[in-house]
Amino acid sequence: MSNPEVVTLCVGGVRFVTRACTLQQFPESRLARMLHDDDQEFKLVNGEFFVDRDGTLFSHIMDFLRTLQVSLPTDFSDYQRLKREAEFYGLYPLAELLSQEHLLKPRLEILEVRISLQDMQAFFRIFGSCSATVETLAEQITLFTGQQSGQSWNSPFPSQKPLFPLPLERPSHHDMVFQCGTDYSAGNQFVARYVSIKPDNRKLINGTNVLGLLLDTLLKDGFRLISTRTVSSKEKVECYSFERLRRPPGLTVTGSQSPGSSGAAQAKRSQAQKGK
């Protein structure tokens, strides 16, 4: 048949509509050849190509053809079945990417928040197994300082005196430290330190409030609180541990290759891996 611009496929009862050029990304594949070859696996019924294969897995096949990238859900586990489907359709570059299963599986990410409450100050230390996550969180947190008159850390609002931003302390790529609260300076003056966490616009001075907002931010970002413990009751140090499954960067092919051709399995990271 002459190749139409739009093609409809029914795969195991699941209907897909795509452009012919998408199916022709890999000219030697069966999907590309079915448009002009008489393949017994593909039945043309009422203008639609029917194939008796797994329709759910075919959605990942279509995603690969549209993006030339393998990017699977964090709960995906059928790597071998999807690899078998890719081989059936003659998409050998995809099959070879799927053989690098260890690069495609999500990785467990750990993050720990420690807080020490001392008089009118609170000291925070955040450690993360993934440096990219710590870097992103550091970009969300802003510190401000200013000298205030007669102000304690329980005051709900900062005074109208100007506040100045402070840099976060970054002992390493995997952690950060900061503090909030007030420190007695001289006379009736206090050095006040506030914390703001995007997208919240408030400037918080109370350590308990900062902790609450920080924990809420992590939970909204997909982390799960797995434990809380007292590190030191004497120094009032509490530790909150979180975990989440971190989706890996997608693997992408360098271009359209023929099945079995040299370099067909060559793939590269779509973005630099961080936190290794």
Side-chain angles (χ1 to χ4, degrees):
M1 63 175 290
S2 59
N3 290 356
E5 183 178 351
V6 177
V7 179
T8 302
L9 299 95
C10 181
V11 184
V14 183
R15 195 166 178 265
F16 297 88
V17 180
T18 187
R19 298 173 65 189
C21 59
T22 299
L23 299 175
Q24 294 170 330
Q25 286 280 10
F26 297 87
E28 298 303 317
S29 70
R30 293 179 80 172
L31 287 173
R33 299 199 313 268
M34 78 172 185
L35 298 177
H36 51 79
D37 285 355
D38 184 17
D39 191 324
Q40 294 300 311
E41 294 288 347
F42 298 88
K43 302 294 184 180
L44 188 59
V45 180
N46 297 326
E48 297 183 4
F49 287 98
F50 175 80
V51 56
D52 190 17
R53 304 295 293 192
D54 191 308
T56 300
L57 292 178
F58 190 73
S59 65
H60 301 301
I61 300 282
M62 286 303 307
D63 183 65
F64 171 73
L65 289 174
R66 288 166 175 152
T67 66
L68 295 182
Q69 186 178 85
V70 183
S71 185
L72 299 169
T74 55
D75 60 350
F76 186 82
S77 59
D78 289 335
Y79 294 94
Q80 291 304 312
R81 290 182 60 214
L82 183 55
K83 182 173 180 288
R84 187 174 65 224
E85 293 300 291
E87 291 171 344
F88 169 81
Y89 291 110
L91 295 170
Y92 297 102
L94 172 58
E96 295 187 37
L97 288 183
L98 290 167
S99 67
Q100 304 179 61
E101 183 178 331
H102 64 288
L103 298 178
L104 294 168
K105 286 186 174 180
R107 300 182 180 184
L108 185 65
E109 181 180 352
I110 303 296
L111 191 131
E112 184 179 273
V113 176
R114 291 195 178 200
I115 177 174
S116 174
L117 298 173
Q118 300 177 14
D119 297 327
M120 295 185 297
Q121 299 182 80
F123 299 85
F124 291 84
R125 182 162 193 158
I126 301 175
F127 173 84
S129 61
C130 175
S131 62
T133 297
V134 177
E135 185 67 35
T136 299
L137 189 58
E139 293 173 356
Q140 293 179 256
I141 298 175
T142 307
L143 308 181
F144 298 91
T145 186
Q147 201 165 44
Q148 313 297 334
S149 298
Q151 176 130 341
S152 72
W153 82 331
N154 288 316
S155 299
F157 304 106
S159 69
Q160 297 302 313
K161 293 185 179 180
L163 298 176
F164 304 95
L166 281 176
L168 283 172
E169 293 184 48
R170 297 292 307 277
S172 74
H173 293 296
H174 289 271
D175 62 346
M176 72 180 84
V177 293
F178 58 91
Q179 68 184 88
C180 66
T182 56
D183 185 20
Y184 181 73
S185 177
N188 198 31
Q189 297 294 313
F190 289 85
V191 175
R193 294 180 179 86
Y194 299 87
V195 176
S196 178
I197 305 176
K198 297 177 181 176
D200 195 292
N201 293 320
R202 292 173 296 168
K203 295 181 177 67
L204 303 176
I205 195 172
N206 183 291
T208 302
N209 293 340
V210 172
L211 176 64
L213 179 57
L214 178 59
L215 300 188
D216 185 59
T217 299
L218 294 174
L219 292 173
K220 289 180 178 178
D221 202 29
F223 280 98
R224 182 173 67 93
L225 180 64
I226 57 175
S227 70
T228 61
R229 69 183 190 275
T230 299
V231 178
S232 172
S233 56
K234 182 178 180 180
E235 298 179 0
K236 298 181 180 179
V237 179
E238 300 288 335
C239 177
Y240 299 79
S241 298
F242 295 82
E243 70 176 19
R244 72 173 175 183
L245 285 177
R246 179 170 174 257
R247 187 171 180 172
L251 291 178
T252 180
V253 297
T254 56
S256 299
Q257 295 101 353
S258 300
S261 64
S262 60
Q266 292 181 0
K268 61 182 179 179
R269 287 287 183 181
S270 62
Q271 59 183 7
Q273 292 188 46
K274 300 179 181 179
K276 298 296 182 65

